[in-house]
């Protein structure tokens, strides 16, 4: 059935390509959110600042695996077809069905600009066959992560892991840190963001802020218990607790002692956090770039290592206390003896610092718009 659907999809796409000419246009595609990410907005602004700017289209829609959302997403794919056919460059920040399974024009350049700035956990092809990944049959049928011309990474330190996750040649990896590096290192942006948050949540400015931002899990039973344990363990006389769960999480935090600040993203909260607690989320790199002390609440480490897997020696390499005991982590936060030199060395390994991340990416892409390179069809 899958092969028949993909055959029909490609035949319809062939008709679209026959009638829709390519033009000076960049399409940005995401399944991470229904709204454009900070990275996409920064790229749009930079492209539009150029002489003879390309048309910019942003297609952002999550795929939630329940009816009728899956059916509605099919119409979104038809919309993608038109924009893929009429673009010279497509930029992704996540897996895109059409990008991988379709037969594209030979001069369409597809760039994977993965949504996380570093690496931590296995993904894509390196999780095929595990409980956290796709089945081998589905990965092959959907040509998972095929058709990429370039893959952006923030450092050469994880080129091999990134390429393996995408099932691509490491030579396709280009060192281009994500656009929001410009904001993470901007004190003007930091000051403005703090003002926006504290103007809305004035009580947050009264105490030190602990930000808890765990990674997403398909099975959230253990996370539900971990969140409850954290909420009960925090000393609210000394700290404000902000919990930002993954956008796809189904856990509901409803406790008057806790801030969820739905109006602001996890990224926003990095500009007010005094310490951050995570587990296997690449948010640690963003927090580290803000020089925020990191702590690792690994309540399900053995299970996660077995079912998903991590890309480095987690128990020894993480820049902060690693423990399944939330009381031990909170005690370490109380003591405040944090090694920021180790944190900076860790971040510098995985993120190549540049003051012009957004500009560098647009500089790389502009030649494809001016003189589209010929290459064999995917």
């Amino acid at each position: 059935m899958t092969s028949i659907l993909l055959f029909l999809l490609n035949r319809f796409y062939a008709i679209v390509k026959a009638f829709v000419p390519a033009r000076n246009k960049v399409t940005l595609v995401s399944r991470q959110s229904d709204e454009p990410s900070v990275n996409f907005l920064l790229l749009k602004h930079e492209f539009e600042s150029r002489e003879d700017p390309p048309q910019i289209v942003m297609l952002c829609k999550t795929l939630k695996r329940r009816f009728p959302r899956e059916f509605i997403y099919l119409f979104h794919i038809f919309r993608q077809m038109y924009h893929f056919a009429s673009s010279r460059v497509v930029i992704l920040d996540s897996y895109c069905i059409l990008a991988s399974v379709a037969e594209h024009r030979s001069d369409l350049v597809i760039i994977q600009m993965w949504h996380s700035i570093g690496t931590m956990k296995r993904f894509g092809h390196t999780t095929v066959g595990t409980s956290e990944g796709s089945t081998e049959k589905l990965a092959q049928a959907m040509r998972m992560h095929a058709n990429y011309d370039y893959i952006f990474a923030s450092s050469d330190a994880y080129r091999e892991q990134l390429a393996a996750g995408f099932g691509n040649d490491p030579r396709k990896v280009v060192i281009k840190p994500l656009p929001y590096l410009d904001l993470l290192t901007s004190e003007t942006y930091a000051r403005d963001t703090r003002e926006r948050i504290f103007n809305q949540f004035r009580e947050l400015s009264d105490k030190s802020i602990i930000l808890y931002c765990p990674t997403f899990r398909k099975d959230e039973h253990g996370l539900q218990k971990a969140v409850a344990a954290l909420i009960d363990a925090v000393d609210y006389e000394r700290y404000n607790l902000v919990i930002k769960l993954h956008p796809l999480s189904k856990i509901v935090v409803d406790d008057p002692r806790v801030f969820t600040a739905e109006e602001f993203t996890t990224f926003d909260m990095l500009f007010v956090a005094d310490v951050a607690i995570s587990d296997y989320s690449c948010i640690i790199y963003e927090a580290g770039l803000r020089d925020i002390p990191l702590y690792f609440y690994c309540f399900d480490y053995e299970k996660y290592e077995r079912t998903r897997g991590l890309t480095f020696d987690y128990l020894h390499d993480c820049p902060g206390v690693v423990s399944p005991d939330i009381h031990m982590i909170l005690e370490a936060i109380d003591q405040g003896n944090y090694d920021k030199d180790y944190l900076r060395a860790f971040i510098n390994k995985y993120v190549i610092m540049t003051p012009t991340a957004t500009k560098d990416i647009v500089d790389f892409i502009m030649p494809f718009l001016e003189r589209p390179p010929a290459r064999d069809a995917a």
Side-chain angles (χ1 to χ4, degrees):
M1 174 61 82
T2 301
S3 60
I4 294 173
L5 290 174
L6 294 181
F7 173 81
L8 294 173
L9 180 149
N10 267 300
R11 297 290 69 79
F12 185 82
Y13 185 43
I15 296 171
V16 175
K17 288 185 293 181
F19 288 95
V20 177
R23 54 182 182 267
N24 189 31
K25 175 177 169 183
V26 178
T27 296
L28 300 101
V29 183
S30 178
R31 285 196 337 186
Q32 289 296 108
S33 170
D34 293 331
E35 300 296 329
S37 66
V38 170
N39 286 315
F40 279 9
L41 292 173
L42 288 169
L43 285 179
K44 181 176 186 291
H45 178 75
E46 180 65 25
F47 274 119
E48 291 176 345
S49 73
R50 300 301 178 97
E51 184 178 352
D52 188 24
Q55 179 187 356
I56 303 297
V57 173
M58 294 188 284
L59 304 177
C60 303
K61 193 170 188 64
T62 55
L63 172 56
K64 296 182 179 177
R65 300 185 183 281
R66 61 175 181 269
F67 186 83
R69 291 283 299 194
E70 289 180 318
F71 184 74
I72 293 171
Y73 196 83
L74 180 62
F75 289 97
H76 183 66
I77 292 177
F78 290 139
R79 184 184 177 204
Q80 288 178 348
M81 286 184 187
Y82 170 80
H83 291 293
F84 273 60
S86 56
S87 296
R88 288 183 177 154
V89 175
V90 170
I91 303 174
L92 316 172
D93 73 353
S94 43
Y95 172 69
C96 172
I97 295 171
L98 184 67
S100 290
V101 304
E103 298 169 5
H104 301 288
R105 279 197 171 101
S106 62
D107 60 356
L108 176 65
V109 175
I110 299 179
I111 297 171
Q112 176 59 258
M113 186 183 74
W114 197 242
H115 52 272
S116 56
I117 205 167
T119 184
M120 165 88 61
K121 51 186 177 285
R122 300 185 188 279
F123 71 98
H125 285 271
T126 53
T127 61
V128 168
T130 71
S131 61
E132 288 285 324
S134 300
T135 64
E136 183 71 38
K137 183 178 180 180
L138 181 62
Q140 290 182 358
M142 300 304 291
R143 303 190 66 228
M144 190 167 68
H145 297 301
N147 291 334
Y148 300 160
D149 294 290
Y150 301 98
I151 299 166
F152 288 167
S154 295
S155 166
D156 199 57
Y158 64 103
R159 177 190 297 269
E160 298 293 332
Q161 294 97 324
L162 198 63
F166 290 129
N168 276 251
D169 190 321
R171 288 174 294 184
K172 290 185 178 182
V173 176
V174 179
I175 308 306
K176 297 289 179 190
L178 293 180
Y180 64 28
L181 178 61
D182 294 340
L183 302 184
L184 287 166
T185 56
S186 168
E187 285 311 309
T188 299
Y189 184 82
R191 183 185 65 248
D192 292 345
T193 305
R194 283 195 296 268
E195 288 180 359
R196 286 193 297 114
I197 294 172
F198 288 149
N199 283 341
Q200 185 153 346
F201 297 98
R202 295 187 182 279
E203 55 272 51
L204 276 177
S205 63
D206 295 339
K207 306 167 192 171
S208 293
I209 296 172
I210 296 174
L211 174 64
Y212 179 51
C213 39
T215 197
F216 176 71
R217 298 158 171 81
K218 289 184 178 180
D219 179 0
E220 296 191 305
H221 180 68
L223 178 60
Q224 181 83 64
K225 290 184 176 180
V227 170
L230 170 63
I231 291 173
D232 288 341
V234 168
D235 179 358
Y236 295 97
E237 294 295 319
R238 297 185 60 183
Y239 301 104
N240 283 313
L241 175 62
V242 176
I243 295 180
K244 301 298 288 184
L245 300 175
H246 191 280
L248 297 179
S249 175
K250 297 177 182 177
I251 294 174
V252 176
V253 177
D254 185 17
D255 190 300
R257 298 171 293 178
V258 176
F259 294 87
T260 55
E262 302 298 334
E263 300 86 345
F264 296 97
T265 64
T266 306
F267 184 80
D268 294 331
M269 284 297 163
L270 294 175
F271 296 94
V272 297
D274 294 290
V275 298
I277 302 174
S278 190
D279 41 33
Y280 324 110
S281 171
C282 288
I283 192 71
I284 68 166
Y285 296 99
E286 299 162 23
L289 286 162
R290 293 293 309 153
D291 216 27
I292 300 171
L294 295 168
Y295 298 85
F296 299 84
Y297 183 19
C298 58
F299 57 89
D300 60 351
Y301 168 74
E302 292 183 358
K303 176 183 177 182
Y304 200 87
E305 182 68 90
R306 183 177 67 255
T307 60
R308 181 69 178 257
L310 300 163
T311 59
F312 58 77
D313 190 343
Y314 181 84
L315 296 179
H316 296 95
D317 293 351
C318 284
V321 172
V322 179
S323 176
D325 183 347
I326 191 58
H327 296 282
M328 180 180 293
I329 289 173
L330 292 173
E331 182 179 343
I333 292 173
D334 287 342
Q335 292 173 353
N337 299 322
Y338 190 84
D339 187 349
K340 284 200 172 182
D341 288 337
Y342 188 82
L343 171 65
R344 291 167 189 143
F346 178 85
I347 296 301
N348 289 338
K349 177 180 178 181
Y350 289 102
V351 183
I352 300 300
M353 299 300 294
T354 170
T356 56
T358 308
K359 177 181 179 298
D360 294 347
I361 288 175
V362 172
D363 286 345
F364 178 83
I365 292 170
M366 288 300 292
F368 299 118
L369 300 170
E370 296 160 3
R371 294 183 300 277
R375 63 177 175 86
D376 294 335

